[in-house]
Amino acid sequence: MKYNPNEIEEKWQKYWAENQTFAASNNSEKPKHYVLDMFPYPSGAGLHVGHPLGYIASDVYSRFKRHQGFNVLHPMGYDSFGLPAEQYAIQTGQRPEDTTRVNIDGGVDKEGKQIAGYRKQLDKIGFSFDWSREVRTSNPDYYKHTQWIFIQLFNSWYCRKQGKAYDIAELVKVFEEEGNKLVEAVCDDNVAIFTAAEWNSYSEDQKEKILLQYRMTYLAETEVNWCPGLGTVLANDEIVNGVSERGGYPVIRKKMTQWSMRISAYAERLLQGLNNIDWSESIKESQRNWIGKSVGAMVSFNVKNHDEVIDVFTTRPDTIFGVTFMTLAPEHDLVGKITTLEQKATVEAYIEKTAKRSERERMADVKTISGVFTGAYAEHPFTKEAIPVWIGDYVLAGYGTGAVMAVPCGDERDYAFANFFNGQNGMAEIKNIFANVDISEAAYGSKDNVVIANSDFLNGLNYKEATQAVITALEKIGQGSGKTNYRLRDAVFSRQRYWGEPFPVYYVNGLPKMIDAQHLPIILPEVEKYLPTEDGLPPLGNAAVWAWDSKNNKVVNTDLVDNVTIFPLELNTMPGWAGSSWYWMRYMDAHNEDKFASAEALKYWESVDLYIGGSEHATGHLLYSRFWNKFLKDKGFAPTEEPFKKLINQGMILGTSAFVYRIEGTNSFVSKNKIGDHKVQPIHADVSMVNSSDELDVEKFKAWREDYADAEFITDDNGKYIVGREVEKMSKSKYNVVTPDDICAEYGADTLRLYEMFLGPLEQAKPWNTAGISGVFGFLKKLWRLYIDENNGLIVNNDEATKDNLKSLHKTIKKVAEDIENFSFNTSVSQFMICVNELSSQNCHSRAILEPLAILVSPYAPHIAEELWAQLGHTTSIATVDFPVFDAKHLVESSKEYPVSFNGKMRFTIELPLDLTAAQIEEIIMKDERTLKQLDGKTPNKVIIVPGKIINLVG
């Protein structure tokens, strides 16, 4: 019986599906273990061999935990809303729901493309997913609950005093009884103070407008990343080098009324929570930097000849007497109010120019110095001197207050700005307020060893003393106070897209109202086109049926809006991160129609024990998920403060691209080895046309594209055309994609799984090289031959295991168990190879060894393990069989091969029991014929014996 991976794998994949082998129970006496992968966005391109890396690792771990007796939840689903499907719909005229479904389930799309389908691709690799819990974020039965969570956020506020979110009704009660003067809440800036009597006298609309300033999700005019080419707002992590990641369209800063989430309310909890989770330090540091906690002071500068005030947050209040100028972000609200007529045109031109640069680009660009004087002056709170007010794009509206009190002697960017504009428009000479510090060449940014000078009442004080003195003085004159600030901004939650979760919101008198949860889901309507309307409204503005009948509680035709009982619905949709910010909880109870998960299921599974995914989600998905989890805990729904106990970021599998070399100005291609003095243009060639020896199939290449059909090829002397190779990111545009389907078809899924684990440490990037896969396939065939002979079938016997057999097995048990717990999967595969080689050389076919070996291999190569287990006579799956127990006694050596030396030179070796004393060893050695021959009748002067180490006869 020959090893036939395709036949075996099809058999066992069918068995697992029919028997629900990996279905987890929500009511088990076993201890629980929840293993989760970051679920994929199902693109039409399908999986390449880089995608399954993390899934294979999590699957190895899941299968290992089942062998250890755990009830393992290992689910999978699809993050199926998003911009790519919408863009594809716009380009091809297909419905996003249709293309998304085909991308998942497989089939032929409207353009006639055969799509393999994510589900079929994943199944071929043999993952132990509990498919009975599959979720798709674009299914109404899923986003019904996303809409419900949005309503909970809308109906909540955050109490600073208690440090948690509460129902908005509790805040209303406080307003009714006390007003808002003593309320410690996270809310909009500059909320007006009112008494209980005033609140109770307000109209319902007035009350709603005030409550919007406190709600956890709220409508506000904010600076956003607007992408005209895509017709939507983009998150910071959707922009690369000032253009959209999708399509490469320009992005500008623009003010729009948007839904936002008060993630800033949770800044301190998000920061402190990092101390309690097992994540890599690099990911934690990314989040710490993104949250950006700063301790300092708020300072108010009055604007001369205006009633306006410029509020500044500074971490260096001790340097307040060093303020030389002020800089506002170009988008700052005050710019238009304080700019003089003489400077208006210059300022407006500068604002238009900077609107085309993203926040990330502006933050990263530390070399470019640009700015414009507004013509206005602020007043120093202590000296009352005039301070020129500039605008500059190195200041961001979304960070701090969007204003900087510039102290050039203590800050490099301020120093560069002041020197660049020195002498222009009132830009004064740089003041030095540090004693015994030379600032002629650079600013002094350190807080250490600071002695303040030229600073009135601060002279002679150090950083801490001066900071406290300034804060006290500012509070005394009513122009500042101590403050802790965070860089973390509230998250914009609106997208001008079609393919996203509809908001459960309608508008009465321009104010948002929530649709009652019992009427959810509000299902995405049909539209004729997925572009914005002619008057610039989001794509849902094209919907014919998109109005809310508040009397009959249903969606009705848009033209029925009367603003009496039928009202317009929200036209924006939720961002891509909405559905992914809580999906791990849905897996706990995926078919619950009434709740996102039952209290019992949430209590049982609690949180994710192991989460595997890409580090690119550090400040996006991972931060938003922690935020929603903490909010849901505050509201009594989530059982834990943190969603993911342990996080591992898998590295990227890189492609090995192939290049042909076209001689410039010709249609001739020269082999890599014959380039010589030719001026050539490297061109990507599809790796499927290149063999493991880097030889190009010239005829295939000519047939690949019409313009290559008549190409000439200058080959090596042996007639071969050799391509160049380069390791790059695996992508379709580089023609270096290898699909798992092809590998599975040729070598089998077990080979793919083992090879991906064997490539190197999980968290490191590593290049794919198909040539190396044959070695892993050869290992599996060798493993098979320990159990089964091609001609005689099963050759496993009941012979007693030898000492060497047991040593090989238990070395492997110990190594594999330790490696899986430490996520060192590559070294486990090496150990399997060593073990099989040793057992083969020992001619071992003992059941006592080969049964536990099949279990050891099972997490990595489950199909062959299942088949071997069945061949051994078992009638149930290997999946939950107990993991073999390591016994250290089999690795303890009972004897040692001693080198026997004469005057320090080794002459022969002798194997002796390790429990012999030095005297016993000497007696044996002195009687050995080889010793007698070496001594030739002489008596040694000294016999040095260290049991377990050396034997040396001297003299």
Side-chain angles (χ1 to χ4, degrees):
M1 183 178 172
K2 195 174 181 181
Y3 173 49
N4 186 334
N6 298 123
E7 187 179 296
I8 290 168
E9 289 167 7
E10 185 180 350
K11 168 187 172 181
W12 287 104
Q13 287 164 14
K14 184 180 178 184
Y15 174 92
W16 295 330
E18 289 175 352
N19 291 275
Q20 292 286 289
T21 304
F22 308 116
S25 168
N26 279 8
N27 183 19
S28 173
E29 293 180 0
K30 294 179 178 181
K32 73 95 183 179
H33 204 83
Y34 187 174
V35 181
L36 183 64
D37 300 284
M38 290 185 186
F39 61 173
Y41 173 79
S43 71
L47 296 172
H48 62 60
V49 292
H51 292 129
L53 179 67
Y55 303 159
I56 296 170
S58 68
D59 198 58
V60 170
Y61 194 80
S62 297
R63 288 175 177 275
F64 173 65
K65 297 308 278 188
R66 289 192 194 93
H67 286 306
Q68 287 190 315
F70 285 86
N71 176 31
V72 176
L73 174 55
H74 184 38
M76 180 49 75
Y78 306 96
D79 192 9
S80 48
F81 268 135
L83 190 56
E86 182 161 322
Q87 287 302 111
Y88 191 63
I90 291 168
Q91 292 162 13
T92 64
Q94 299 183 75
R95 298 165 73 235
E97 50 264 59
D98 291 341
T99 59
T100 300
R101 186 179 60 254
V102 171
N103 290 347
I104 294 172
D105 297 326
V108 179
D109 70 4
K110 191 177 178 182
E111 292 197 318
K113 291 181 182 175
Q114 183 67 46
I115 307 294
Y118 267 61
R119 175 61 193 271
K120 291 184 179 73
Q121 287 189 294
L122 291 168
D123 280 345
K124 279 183 180 178
I125 304 173
F127 295 120
S128 62
F129 294 133
D130 180 355
W131 282 112
S132 69
R133 297 173 186 251
E134 178 197 297
V135 302
R136 302 183 185 187
T137 59
S138 59
N139 280 4
D141 63 356
Y142 180 88
Y143 67 70
K144 163 186 178 178
H145 303 289
T146 310
Q147 292 172 341
W148 178 85
I149 293 171
F150 177 84
I151 294 170
Q152 306 315 302
L153 284 153
F154 183 81
N155 289 327
S156 300
W157 66 289
Y158 196 90
C159 176
R160 287 189 190 276
K161 193 173 181 181
Q162 298 299 325
K164 65 181 290 190
Y166 290 94
D167 195 280
I168 201 76
E170 296 182 38
L171 185 63
V172 171
K173 191 175 179 182
V174 173
F175 289 170
E176 289 172 345
E177 296 174 356
E178 304 173 13
N180 71 341
K181 187 174 183 180
L182 300 178
V183 170
E184 294 184 40
V186 176
C187 56
D188 290 358
D189 295 331
N190 305 316
V191 173
I193 301 299
F194 53 81
T195 65
E198 287 172 325
W199 169 264
N200 292 321
S201 70
Y202 292 151
S203 68
E204 287 305 309
D205 281 1
Q206 285 176 303
K207 289 178 180 179
E208 277 304 314
K209 286 176 183 176
I210 291 168
L211 288 175
L212 267 177
Q213 297 179 302
Y214 289 87
R215 295 182 186 276
M216 286 299 299
T217 186
Y218 60 96
L219 276 173
E221 189 175 63
T222 55
E223 283 280 337
V224 296
N225 301 310
W226 173 250
C227 180
L230 294 174
T232 189
V233 167
L234 298 177
N236 284 333
D237 55 4
E238 294 173 311
I239 304 165
V240 178
N241 298 323
V243 299
S244 63
E245 186 178 36
R246 180 80 182 177
Y249 297 104
V251 177
I252 61 172
R253 299 290 293 170
K254 179 179 177 181
K255 283 193 172 179
M256 294 180 71
T257 299
Q258 301 283 299
W259 282 103
S260 290
M261 293 271 176
R262 288 192 207 277
I263 186 174
S264 59
Y266 287 84
E268 187 62 26
R269 280 169 66 182
L270 287 166
L271 200 59
Q272 295 305 320
L274 294 170
N275 299 325
N276 306 316
I277 49 181
D278 184 7
W279 291 17
S280 72
E281 196 52 40
S282 61
I283 292 288
K284 288 184 180 184
E285 196 58 24
S286 292
Q287 293 208 353
R288 288 190 192 105
N289 291 336
W290 195 259
I291 295 165
K293 183 177 181 178
S294 304
V295 178
M298 287 294 296
V299 187
S300 296
F301 290 80
N302 296 321
V303 181
K304 283 184 173 290
N305 304 317
H306 284 273
D307 293 331
E308 308 296 343
V309 173
I310 300 174
D311 290 317
V312 171
F313 174 78
T314 176
T315 58
R316 294 297 302 272
D318 60 309
T319 66
I320 195 163
F321 285 94
V323 177
T324 303
F325 62 99
M326 301 194 75
T327 314
L328 305 181
E331 309 88 357
H332 198 290
D333 289 338
L334 289 181
V335 174
K337 298 175 183 177
I338 66 174
T339 299
T340 62
L341 284 173
E342 293 82 2
Q343 293 297 111
K344 187 178 180 184
T346 307
V347 167
E348 287 179 349
Y350 183 77
I351 291 171
E352 185 180 349
K353 178 183 172 185
T354 58
K356 296 172 183 175
R357 302 183 77 202
S358 71
E359 282 193 357
R360 284 195 174 181
E361 187 181 355
R362 285 159 60 179
M363 287 169 67
D365 184 5
V366 295
K367 294 180 180 178
T368 304
I369 299 170
S370 70
V372 174
F373 179 49
T374 64
Y377 290 84
E379 182 183 87
H380 194 284
F382 296 121
T383 68
K384 305 304 179 185
E385 67 182 295
I387 304 168
V389 181
W390 289 64
I391 61 172
D393 68 358
Y394 76 99
V395 182
L396 304 175
Y399 290 89
T401 64
V404 167
M405 61 172 223
V407 182
C409 68
D411 181 271
E412 282 298 337
R413 273 205 157 180
D414 294 345
Y415 188 88
F417 196 95
N419 278 320
F420 189 83
F421 291 107
N422 185 29
Q424 299 180 39
N425 299 310
M427 181 65 76
E429 290 293 324
I430 296 172
K431 300 175 184 178
N432 187 2
I433 56 154
F434 301 126
N436 306 316
V437 171
D438 179 13
I439 62 158
S440 61
E441 298 294 331
Y444 184 74
S446 174
K447 297 175 183 177
D448 301 328
N449 306 316
V450 163
V451 177
I452 302 297
N454 304 317
S455 298
D456 197 3
F457 62 91
L458 301 181
N459 289 341
L461 301 182
N462 63 27
Y463 158 71
K464 284 187 177 179
E465 293 166 340
T467 295
Q468 193 52 55
V470 168
I471 291 171
T472 301
L474 286 169
E475 289 175 347
K476 193 172 182 179
I477 63 173
Q479 283 193 248
S481 60
K483 183 177 174 63
T484 298
N485 209 22
Y486 299 90
R487 185 181 294 121
L488 181 66
R489 300 292 92 193
D490 285 345
V492 175
F493 198 67
S494 298
R495 296 293 184 270
Q496 292 67 47
R497 301 175 187 162
Y498 171 76
W499 191 234
E501 295 91 337
F503 284 92
V505 175
Y506 64 99
Y507 288 88
V508 178
N509 297 329
L511 290 169
K513 303 288 181 184
M514 295 297 115
I515 292 168
D516 195 281
Q518 66 180 311
H519 306 306
L520 301 179
I522 303 304
I523 296 174
L524 202 60
E526 293 283 342
V527 293
E528 284 189 20
K529 55 182 180 179
Y530 306 104
L531 292 166
T533 65
E534 290 181 5
D535 52 356
L537 293 175
L540 286 182
N542 295 309
V545 182
W546 197 238
W548 183 249
D549 183 337
S550 61
K551 187 176 180 181
N552 297 302
N553 295 307
K554 63 179 183 178
V555 178
V556 297
N557 283 9
T558 307
D559 56 13
L560 295 177
V561 170
D562 57 13
N563 290 309
V564 178
T565 60
I566 300 175
F567 302 95
L569 282 159
E570 173 65 72
L571 298 181
N572 290 309
T573 53
M574 298 186 200
W577 58 268
S580 64
S581 291
W582 70 277
Y583 76 109
W584 64 93
M585 288 187 271
R586 185 58 176 170
Y587 284 135
M588 297 177 185
D589 194 11
H591 304 294
N592 192 321
E593 294 181 9
D594 301 322
K595 300 176 181 178
F596 69 85
S598 69
E600 294 77 18
L602 288 160
K603 183 179 178 182
Y604 178 75
W605 292 108
E606 289 188 331
S607 59
V608 176
D609 295 286
L610 173 65
Y611 197 25
I612 296 183
S615 60
E616 67 273 14
H617 298 291
T619 55
H621 160 64
L622 289 170
L623 201 59
Y624 299 139
S625 296
R626 295 181 63 221
F627 159 42
W628 276 34
N629 197 91
K630 289 175 190 295
F631 169 75
L632 289 169
K633 183 174 189 297
D634 287 353
K635 301 294 284 184
F637 301 112
T640 60
E641 178 79 2
E642 291 288 341
F644 316 121
K645 290 180 186 176
K646 184 175 182 66
L647 172 72
I648 289 182
N649 302 123
Q650 82 275 12
M652 187 182 291
I653 289 184
L654 303 169
T656 305
S657 299
F659 290 89
V660 292
Y661 301 95
R662 181 162 57 191
I663 299 172
E664 286 188 4
T666 73
N667 201 22
S668 295
F669 294 83
V670 60
S671 177
K672 178 187 173 185
N673 301 325
K674 291 284 187 178
I675 291 175
D677 296 328
H678 291 296
K679 285 188 177 181
V680 296
Q681 175 192 7
I683 296 173
H684 281 97
D686 196 309
V687 293
S688 65
M689 304 172 188
V690 181
N691 67 17
S692 58
S693 300
D694 296 339
E695 297 166 4
L696 177 72
D697 186 323
V698 171
E699 294 308 314
K700 275 189 180 178
F701 183 80
K702 284 183 173 183
W704 184 33
R705 290 190 179 180
E706 194 175 326
D707 50 333
Y708 298 154
D710 299 325
E712 294 181 355
F713 287 82
I714 302 170
T715 64
D716 290 355
D717 295 339
N718 59 5
K720 306 291 185 183
Y721 185 98
I722 304 300
V723 299
R725 289 291 201 176
E726 189 175 320
V727 174
E728 301 180 288
K729 182 178 179 180
M730 194 173 283
S731 74
K732 286 174 71 178
S733 64
K734 301 182 190 304
Y735 304 105
N736 61 0
V737 167
V738 178
T739 70
D741 308 52
D742 293 341
I743 301 298
C744 290
E746 188 171 355
Y747 298 101
D750 285 338
T751 297
L752 173 71
R753 292 168 62 104
L754 279 166
Y755 184 60
E756 293 220 3
M757 293 298 92
F758 188 48
L759 279 172
L762 178 63
E763 295 173 75
Q764 290 181 12
K766 46 254 173 191
W768 177 270
N769 182 3
T770 304
I773 208 163
S774 57
V776 173
F777 185 52
F779 155 73
L780 286 174
K781 290 192 284 188
K782 195 167 189 177
L783 172 71
W784 180 264
R785 290 195 294 270
L786 283 175
Y787 298 77
I788 295 166
D789 181 81
E790 195 170 322
N791 299 314
N792 301 314
L794 187 70
I795 52 174
V796 175
N797 55 47
N798 293 315
D799 292 354
E800 186 176 344
T802 67
K803 183 178 73 172
D804 285 343
N805 295 164
L806 290 165
K807 182 179 177 182
S808 295
L809 174 66
H810 283 270
K811 268 196 306 183
T812 306
I813 294 171
K814 182 175 188 292
K815 178 70 174 157
V816 170
E818 289 174 353
D819 282 351
I820 294 177
E821 291 288 11
N822 294 321
F823 305 96
S824 299
F825 303 113
N826 56 316
T827 51
S828 275
V829 180
S830 299
Q831 182 57 40
F832 286 139
M833 293 175 174
I834 292 167
C835 180
V836 168
N837 282 338
E838 288 178 353
L839 293 177
S840 298
S841 64
Q842 294 160 16
N843 197 28
C844 173
H845 301 289
S846 168
R847 179 179 289 270
I849 300 298
L850 298 186
E851 276 200 345
L853 179 61
I855 302 166
L856 292 178
V857 169
S858 175
Y860 290 84
H863 306 90
I864 194 172
E866 287 276 23
E867 184 62 26
L868 293 173
W869 192 249
Q871 291 290 331
L872 288 167
H874 299 283
T875 55
T876 55
S877 171
I878 199 174
T880 54
V881 176
D882 289 346
F883 200 77
V885 177
F886 168 64
D887 190 340
K889 74 181 182 185
H890 296 299
L891 302 192
V892 175
E893 301 290 349
S894 58
S895 64
K896 175 175 174 62
E897 190 173 51
Y898 285 90
V900 182
S901 299
F902 294 83
N903 295 318
K905 292 184 179 180
M906 197 272 285
R907 296 301 182 186
F908 63 87
T909 60
I910 185 171
E911 186 161 339
L912 298 172
L914 278 168
D915 57 358
L916 294 179
T917 64
Q920 290 171 323
I921 293 171
E922 183 176 346
E923 183 181 353
I924 293 168
I925 288 298
M926 295 307 293
K927 290 179 179 177
D928 191 284
E929 289 183 6
R930 292 167 294 181
T931 302
L932 296 172
K933 186 176 179 182
Q934 284 291 330
L935 292 175
D936 194 22
K938 297 174 185 175
T939 302
N941 295 331
K942 195 174 185 182
V943 178
I944 302 170
I945 294 174
V946 180
K949 292 187 177 179
I950 60 171
I951 300 171
N952 189 19
L953 285 72
V954 181

